[in-house]
Amino acid sequence: MVERSHKPGPISATTASSLPQAQVNVSDDNSKVTATIPSGDTVEVLLYGATIISWKSNGTENFWVSDAAKLDGSKPVRGGVPVVFPVFGPPPKNHATSSLPQHGFARNSRWEYLGKSTSESASDDSVKMDFGLYSAGLSEEAKKAWPYDFGLVYSVTLTKGELSTILTVRNEGKEGFDFNVLLHTYLRIKDISTTTISGLLGTSYVDKVLDARESTESNSDLRITGETDRVYKSLAQDTTTVVENGSPRFDVVRKNFRDTVIWNPWTEKAKGMGDFEPKTGWREMLCVEVGSVAEWVRVEEGESWEAGQTIKSLV
Protein backbone atom coordinates (compact mmCIF):
# COMPACT_ATOMS: atom_id res chain seq x y z
CA MET A 1 0.00 0.00 0.00
CA VAL A 2 1.35 3.44 -0.95
CA GLU A 3 1.51 5.99 1.84
CA ARG A 4 0.09 9.36 0.88
CA SER A 5 2.21 12.29 1.92
CA HIS A 6 -0.81 14.43 2.74
CA LYS A 7 -3.31 11.94 4.10
CA PRO A 8 -6.21 13.41 6.03
CA GLY A 9 -6.13 13.35 9.80
CA PRO A 10 -8.80 11.70 11.91
CA ILE A 11 -12.19 13.43 12.02
CA SER A 12 -12.97 14.70 15.50
CA ALA A 13 -16.63 14.15 16.27
CA THR A 14 -18.45 16.71 18.42
CA THR A 15 -19.81 14.81 21.36
CA ALA A 16 -22.68 15.82 23.57
CA SER A 17 -20.27 16.28 26.44
CA SER A 18 -18.30 18.90 24.49
CA LEU A 19 -21.38 21.06 23.89
CA PRO A 20 -22.26 23.81 26.37
CA GLN A 21 -24.31 22.26 29.15
CA ALA A 22 -27.30 23.45 31.09
CA GLN A 23 -26.42 23.87 34.76
CA VAL A 24 -28.71 23.28 37.73
CA ASN A 25 -27.63 24.14 41.26
CA VAL A 26 -29.31 23.68 44.62
CA SER A 27 -28.40 26.37 47.16
CA ASP A 28 -26.27 25.40 50.17
CA ASP A 29 -29.22 25.87 52.50
CA ASN A 30 -31.46 23.74 50.24
CA SER A 31 -33.94 26.59 49.82
CA LYS A 32 -33.61 27.41 46.12
CA VAL A 33 -32.86 25.76 42.77
CA THR A 34 -31.21 27.81 40.00
CA ALA A 35 -30.84 26.80 36.36
CA THR A 36 -28.75 28.36 33.58
CA ILE A 37 -28.72 27.35 29.91
CA PRO A 38 -25.96 28.07 27.35
CA SER A 39 -27.81 31.12 25.99
CA GLY A 40 -27.32 32.76 29.40
CA ASP A 41 -31.02 32.59 30.33
CA THR A 42 -31.61 31.77 34.00
CA VAL A 43 -34.46 30.82 36.32
CA GLU A 44 -34.60 30.62 40.13
CA VAL A 45 -37.20 28.54 41.96
CA LEU A 46 -37.73 28.82 45.70
CA LEU A 47 -38.66 25.46 47.23
CA TYR A 48 -41.00 27.33 49.55
CA GLY A 49 -44.15 27.33 47.43
CA ALA A 50 -42.21 26.21 44.32
CA THR A 51 -42.28 29.95 43.65
CA ILE A 52 -40.31 31.19 40.66
CA ILE A 53 -38.58 34.34 41.89
CA SER A 54 -36.49 35.22 38.83
CA TRP A 55 -36.42 34.57 35.10
CA LYS A 56 -33.84 36.36 33.01
CA SER A 57 -33.55 36.21 29.24
CA ASN A 58 -31.23 38.23 27.03
CA GLY A 59 -29.90 39.85 30.21
CA THR A 60 -33.32 41.19 31.22
CA GLU A 61 -35.32 40.29 34.33
CA ASN A 62 -38.86 39.34 33.30
CA PHE A 63 -40.54 38.98 36.70
CA TRP A 64 -41.31 41.59 39.35
CA VAL A 65 -40.62 40.72 42.98
CA SER A 66 -41.31 43.13 45.82
CA ASP A 67 -38.28 44.50 47.66
CA ALA A 68 -40.09 43.50 50.86
CA ALA A 69 -40.98 39.96 49.73
CA LYS A 70 -40.31 37.28 52.34
CA LEU A 71 -38.11 34.52 50.89
CA ASP A 72 -37.58 32.66 54.16
CA GLY A 73 -40.84 30.69 54.18
CA SER A 74 -42.53 32.95 56.72
CA LYS A 75 -45.27 34.03 54.30
CA PRO A 76 -46.15 33.68 50.60
CA VAL A 77 -43.84 35.54 48.22
CA ARG A 78 -45.08 38.86 46.86
CA GLY A 79 -44.03 38.56 43.24
CA GLY A 80 -42.58 36.05 40.81
CA VAL A 81 -44.94 33.14 40.15
CA PRO A 82 -46.68 31.77 43.27
CA VAL A 83 -48.79 28.63 42.73
CA VAL A 84 -52.40 28.98 43.89
CA PHE A 85 -54.08 25.64 44.84
CA PRO A 86 -56.67 24.29 45.71
CA VAL A 87 -58.74 27.48 46.10
CA PHE A 88 -58.52 30.92 44.51
CA GLY A 89 -59.17 33.94 46.71
CA PRO A 90 -60.99 33.66 50.04
CA PRO A 91 -62.53 30.18 50.27
CA PRO A 92 -66.31 30.00 49.87
CA LYS A 93 -68.50 29.03 52.81
CA ASN A 94 -69.97 25.54 52.96
CA HIS A 95 -67.36 24.09 50.61
CA ALA A 96 -64.62 21.51 51.09
CA THR A 97 -62.04 24.31 50.91
CA SER A 98 -63.79 26.60 53.40
CA SER A 99 -61.25 26.00 56.20
CA LEU A 100 -58.25 26.87 54.04
CA PRO A 101 -56.46 30.24 53.93
CA GLN A 102 -56.85 32.58 50.95
CA HIS A 103 -55.31 31.04 47.80
CA GLY A 104 -54.90 27.66 49.52
CA PHE A 105 -51.74 25.96 50.78
CA ALA A 106 -49.49 25.30 47.75
CA ARG A 107 -47.83 28.71 47.81
CA ASN A 108 -46.88 28.40 51.48
CA SER A 109 -45.84 24.75 51.62
CA ARG A 110 -42.35 23.43 51.07
CA TRP A 111 -42.06 21.49 47.82
CA GLU A 112 -39.62 18.71 46.97
CA TYR A 113 -37.09 19.05 44.15
CA LEU A 114 -37.54 15.91 42.03
CA GLY A 115 -34.68 16.40 39.56
CA LYS A 116 -33.88 17.70 36.10
CA SER A 117 -33.74 16.67 32.46
CA THR A 118 -31.86 18.55 29.75
CA SER A 119 -31.72 18.91 26.00
CA GLU A 120 -28.65 20.43 24.38
CA SER A 121 -28.16 20.99 20.67
CA ALA A 122 -27.17 23.82 18.39
CA SER A 123 -30.81 24.84 17.97
CA ASP A 124 -32.48 23.88 21.23
CA ASP A 125 -30.86 24.08 24.64
CA SER A 126 -33.23 23.70 27.54
CA VAL A 127 -33.59 22.32 31.03
CA LYS A 128 -36.68 20.97 32.78
CA MET A 129 -36.94 20.82 36.56
CA ASP A 130 -39.69 18.97 38.41
CA PHE A 131 -41.05 19.83 41.84
CA GLY A 132 -43.50 17.81 43.90
CA LEU A 133 -46.01 18.41 46.67
CA TYR A 134 -48.00 15.56 48.22
CA SER A 135 -50.69 15.27 50.87
CA ALA A 136 -48.25 13.45 53.16
CA GLY A 137 -45.95 16.48 53.10
CA LEU A 138 -48.54 19.03 54.19
CA SER A 139 -48.67 20.62 57.59
CA GLU A 140 -51.08 18.98 60.04
CA GLU A 141 -53.21 22.12 59.87
CA ALA A 142 -53.51 21.89 56.07
CA LYS A 143 -54.26 18.14 56.17
CA LYS A 144 -57.06 18.74 58.62
CA ALA A 145 -58.49 21.61 56.57
CA TRP A 146 -58.39 19.68 53.28
CA PRO A 147 -58.16 15.92 53.97
CA TYR A 148 -57.71 14.57 50.44
CA ASP A 149 -54.92 12.39 49.08
CA PHE A 150 -53.30 14.11 46.14
CA GLY A 151 -50.03 14.62 44.31
CA LEU A 152 -48.84 17.74 42.49
CA VAL A 153 -45.96 17.76 40.03
CA TYR A 154 -44.85 21.18 38.81
CA SER A 155 -42.53 21.21 35.79
CA VAL A 156 -40.50 24.34 35.02
CA THR A 157 -38.79 24.34 31.61
CA LEU A 158 -36.31 27.03 30.62
CA THR A 159 -35.57 27.55 26.92
CA LYS A 160 -33.97 30.53 25.24
CA GLY A 161 -36.49 33.36 25.50
CA GLU A 162 -39.22 31.13 26.96
CA LEU A 163 -40.36 29.77 30.29
CA SER A 164 -42.93 26.97 30.47
CA THR A 165 -44.68 25.87 33.64
CA ILE A 166 -46.97 22.84 33.77
CA LEU A 167 -48.89 21.57 36.79
CA THR A 168 -50.18 18.01 37.05
CA VAL A 169 -52.80 17.23 39.70
CA ARG A 170 -53.31 13.58 40.65
CA ASN A 171 -56.06 12.14 42.82
CA GLU A 172 -54.37 9.44 44.87
CA GLY A 173 -57.28 8.83 47.24
CA LYS A 174 -60.62 7.04 47.26
CA GLU A 175 -62.88 10.05 46.72
CA GLY A 176 -63.05 12.81 44.16
CA PHE A 177 -62.24 16.43 44.94
CA ASP A 178 -62.76 19.89 43.43
CA PHE A 179 -60.08 22.54 43.13
CA ASN A 180 -59.07 25.88 41.65
CA VAL A 181 -55.57 26.50 40.37
CA LEU A 182 -53.77 29.66 39.26
CA LEU A 183 -50.23 30.62 38.28
CA HIS A 184 -50.04 34.08 39.88
CA THR A 185 -47.49 35.62 37.48
CA TYR A 186 -46.05 39.09 38.17
CA LEU A 187 -44.56 40.39 34.91
CA ARG A 188 -41.98 43.17 35.07
CA ILE A 189 -42.78 46.03 32.72
CA LYS A 190 -41.27 49.47 32.15
CA ASP A 191 -44.32 51.65 32.69
CA ILE A 192 -47.95 50.63 33.27
CA SER A 193 -49.11 53.88 31.63
CA THR A 194 -47.67 52.80 28.26
CA THR A 195 -48.63 49.12 28.54
CA THR A 196 -51.64 47.43 26.96
CA ILE A 197 -52.99 43.86 26.88
CA SER A 198 -54.44 42.22 23.80
CA GLY A 199 -56.26 38.92 23.37
CA LEU A 200 -59.16 39.67 25.74
CA LEU A 201 -61.67 41.29 23.35
CA GLY A 202 -65.17 39.86 23.62
CA THR A 203 -64.39 37.86 26.77
CA SER A 204 -66.75 37.89 29.73
CA TYR A 205 -65.08 38.94 32.98
CA VAL A 206 -65.87 39.38 36.65
CA ASP A 207 -64.71 42.75 37.97
CA LYS A 208 -63.72 42.18 41.60
CA VAL A 209 -63.09 45.91 42.11
CA LEU A 210 -66.72 46.64 41.18
CA ASP A 211 -68.45 44.18 43.55
CA ALA A 212 -67.99 41.18 41.19
CA ARG A 213 -69.97 42.87 38.43
CA GLU A 214 -69.88 40.85 35.21
CA SER A 215 -69.06 42.60 31.91
CA THR A 216 -67.71 41.85 28.45
CA GLU A 217 -64.35 43.23 27.35
CA SER A 218 -64.85 45.83 24.61
CA ASN A 219 -61.20 46.86 24.20
CA SER A 220 -58.92 45.12 21.74
CA ASP A 221 -56.02 46.71 23.61
CA LEU A 222 -56.83 46.93 27.31
CA ARG A 223 -55.14 49.78 29.16
CA ILE A 224 -54.76 49.76 32.96
CA THR A 225 -55.82 53.13 34.40
CA GLY A 226 -56.60 52.28 38.03
CA GLU A 227 -56.86 49.40 40.48
CA THR A 228 -57.64 46.32 38.38
CA ASP A 229 -58.72 42.85 39.49
CA ARG A 230 -60.58 40.97 36.77
CA VAL A 231 -61.24 37.31 36.10
CA TYR A 232 -61.57 36.74 32.34
CA LYS A 233 -63.52 33.52 31.84
CA SER A 234 -63.13 30.82 29.18
CA LEU A 235 -60.99 32.81 26.76
CA ALA A 236 -61.54 31.99 23.09
CA GLN A 237 -57.87 32.30 22.14
CA ASP A 238 -54.89 30.78 23.90
CA THR A 239 -52.49 33.75 23.73
CA THR A 240 -52.60 37.01 25.66
CA THR A 241 -50.02 39.60 24.61
CA VAL A 242 -48.55 42.35 26.77
CA VAL A 243 -47.52 45.35 24.65
CA GLU A 244 -45.12 48.12 25.74
CA ASN A 245 -45.03 51.39 23.80
CA GLY A 246 -46.68 49.70 20.85
CA SER A 247 -44.20 46.78 20.75
CA PRO A 248 -45.06 43.25 21.96
CA ARG A 249 -43.21 42.45 25.19
CA PHE A 250 -44.66 39.12 26.36
CA ASP A 251 -46.84 36.39 24.92
CA VAL A 252 -48.61 34.38 27.61
CA VAL A 253 -49.86 31.13 26.08
CA ARG A 254 -52.38 29.04 28.04
CA LYS A 255 -52.49 25.25 27.82
CA ASN A 256 -55.75 23.73 29.11
CA PHE A 257 -56.33 26.63 31.49
CA ARG A 258 -59.71 28.28 30.97
CA ASP A 259 -59.25 31.67 32.58
CA THR A 260 -56.89 34.62 32.94
CA VAL A 261 -56.75 37.08 35.85
CA ILE A 262 -55.48 40.62 35.24
CA TRP A 263 -54.33 42.41 38.40
CA ASN A 264 -52.61 45.65 39.33
CA PRO A 265 -53.08 47.20 42.81
CA TRP A 266 -52.51 50.82 41.73
CA THR A 267 -51.67 53.52 44.24
CA GLU A 268 -53.89 53.11 47.30
CA LYS A 269 -53.96 49.33 47.50
CA ALA A 270 -50.17 49.15 47.10
CA LYS A 271 -49.78 51.55 50.02
CA GLY A 272 -51.90 49.26 52.18
CA MET A 273 -49.83 46.11 51.58
CA GLY A 274 -46.95 45.76 54.01
CA ASP A 275 -44.94 43.47 51.72
CA PHE A 276 -45.33 45.62 48.61
CA GLU A 277 -42.18 47.71 48.06
CA PRO A 278 -41.45 50.15 46.68
CA LYS A 279 -44.94 51.57 47.04
CA THR A 280 -44.59 52.91 43.49
CA GLY A 281 -43.81 49.38 42.23
CA TRP A 282 -47.29 49.06 40.72
CA ARG A 283 -46.00 51.18 37.85
CA GLU A 284 -43.51 48.47 36.88
CA MET A 285 -45.59 45.31 37.29
CA LEU A 286 -48.60 43.65 35.76
CA CYS A 287 -50.11 40.34 36.79
CA VAL A 288 -51.31 38.17 33.91
CA GLU A 289 -52.35 34.99 35.71
CA VAL A 290 -53.51 31.87 33.89
CA GLY A 291 -55.69 29.41 35.73
CA SER A 292 -58.99 27.64 36.14
CA VAL A 293 -60.76 29.68 38.80
CA ALA A 294 -64.20 30.72 37.52
CA GLU A 295 -65.43 27.15 38.00
CA TRP A 296 -64.17 24.16 39.97
CA VAL A 297 -62.09 21.47 38.32
CA ARG A 298 -62.91 17.95 39.52
CA VAL A 299 -60.72 14.85 39.53
CA GLU A 300 -62.10 11.49 40.57
CA GLU A 301 -60.27 8.59 42.19
CA GLY A 302 -57.22 7.61 40.14
CA GLU A 303 -57.59 10.50 37.68
CA SER A 304 -55.11 13.24 36.85
CA TRP A 305 -55.41 16.68 35.27
CA GLU A 306 -52.74 18.83 33.65
CA ALA A 307 -52.47 22.43 32.50
CA GLY A 308 -49.80 25.06 32.07
CA GLN A 309 -48.45 28.10 30.30
CA THR A 310 -45.55 29.26 28.17
CA ILE A 311 -44.37 32.83 28.57
CA LYS A 312 -42.34 34.19 25.67
CA SER A 313 -40.08 37.20 26.13
CA LEU A 314 -40.28 39.18 22.90
CA VAL A 315 -37.26 41.45 23.37
Side-chain angles (χ1 to χ4, degrees):
M1 185 174 70
V2 178
E3 284 283 336
R4 287 183 290 168
S5 59
H6 298 292
K7 64 180 180 181
I11 298 174
S12 59
T14 300
T15 63
S17 60
S18 67
L19 292 171
Q21 299 288 305
Q23 302 291 328
V24 176
N25 296 296
V26 180
S27 63
D28 291 340
D29 62 357
N30 199 33
S31 67
K32 181 175 68 174
V33 182
T34 302
T36 304
I37 57 175
S39 65
D41 292 19
T42 63
V43 64
E44 297 179 22
V45 185
L46 201 66
L47 290 178
Y48 180 71
T51 307
I52 302 171
I53 56 173
S54 175
W55 166 41
K56 294 178 181 177
S57 59
N58 200 27
T60 299
E61 177 60 63
N62 295 305
F63 290 151
W64 184 89
V65 175
S66 167
D67 291 347
K70 302 297 184 183
L71 305 182
D72 59 0
S74 60
K75 66 179 298 185
V77 177
R78 174 69 65 188
V81 189
V83 179
V84 172
F85 177 91
V87 63
F88 169 64
K93 295 179 180 179
N94 302 316
H95 189 266
T97 61
S98 61
S99 297
L100 290 173
Q102 175 166 298
H103 291 336
F105 52 71
R107 65 181 186 150
N108 45 356
S109 296
R110 182 178 171 86
W111 292 56
E112 188 181 339
Y113 174 50
L114 303 178
K116 67 167 184 173
S117 58
T118 60
S119 170
E120 296 95 2
S121 70
S123 59
D124 177 30
D125 57 82
S126 67
V127 61
K128 179 170 79 77
M129 300 175 293
D130 291 329
F131 302 86
L133 179 66
Y134 308 96
S135 46
L138 293 182
S139 67
E140 291 304 315
E141 182 182 8
K143 289 179 188 177
K144 183 178 179 181
W146 203 69
Y148 296 97
D149 291 327
F150 70 93
L152 303 181
V153 175
Y154 187 48
S155 298
V156 178
T157 302
L158 177 67
T159 307
K160 184 178 180 181
E162 295 185 6
L163 187 71
S164 295
T165 50
I166 296 176
L167 185 69
T168 302
V169 181
R170 299 197 307 262
N171 184 340
E172 299 179 344
K174 299 296 184 183
E175 57 181 319
F177 57 77
D178 299 324
F179 64 90
N180 293 148
V181 61
L182 183 82
L183 302 181
H184 198 322
T185 305
Y186 289 71
L187 297 173
R188 177 175 286 278
I189 57 175
K190 292 180 180 178
D191 186 346
I192 193 68
S193 70
T194 59
T195 299
T196 58
I197 309 152
S198 63
L200 303 172
L201 180 64
T203 304
S204 175
Y205 67 89
V206 175
D207 195 327
K208 297 171 76 174
V209 174
L210 297 177
D211 298 321
R213 181 186 303 169
E214 190 155 334
S215 303
T216 299
E217 185 56 66
S218 59
N219 296 295
S220 58
D221 299 293
L222 175 65
R223 189 175 297 276
I224 306 300
T225 58
E227 181 186 348
T228 302
D229 191 355
R230 298 179 178 181
V231 179
Y232 287 84
K233 304 188 298 182
S234 301
L235 279 77
Q237 61 187 72
D238 293 332
T239 301
T240 303
T241 301
V242 176
V243 178
E244 290 186 338
N245 282 314
S247 298
R249 175 64 180 92
F250 296 105
D251 276 344
V252 181
V253 184
R254 290 176 298 109
K255 301 176 181 179
N256 200 38
F257 278 128
R258 303 180 188 136
D259 313 315
T260 293
V261 175
I262 305 296
W263 183 75
N264 183 287
W266 214 250
T267 309
E268 292 306 315
K269 193 171 186 70
K271 287 180 181 177
M273 292 188 288
D275 62 351
F276 195 99
E277 291 291 348
K279 295 305 181 187
T280 56
W282 56 269
R283 297 173 179 167
E284 298 174 344
M285 55 75 61
L286 173 66
C287 284
V288 179
E289 315 164 30
V290 304
S292 289
V293 296
E295 297 179 358
W296 297 101
V297 179
R298 185 167 184 83
V299 287
E300 301 293 349
E301 174 187 354
E303 292 183 345
S304 62
W305 177 91
E306 182 176 283
Q309 69 175 351
T310 295
I311 306 175
K312 302 177 182 180
S313 175
L314 305 176
V315 297

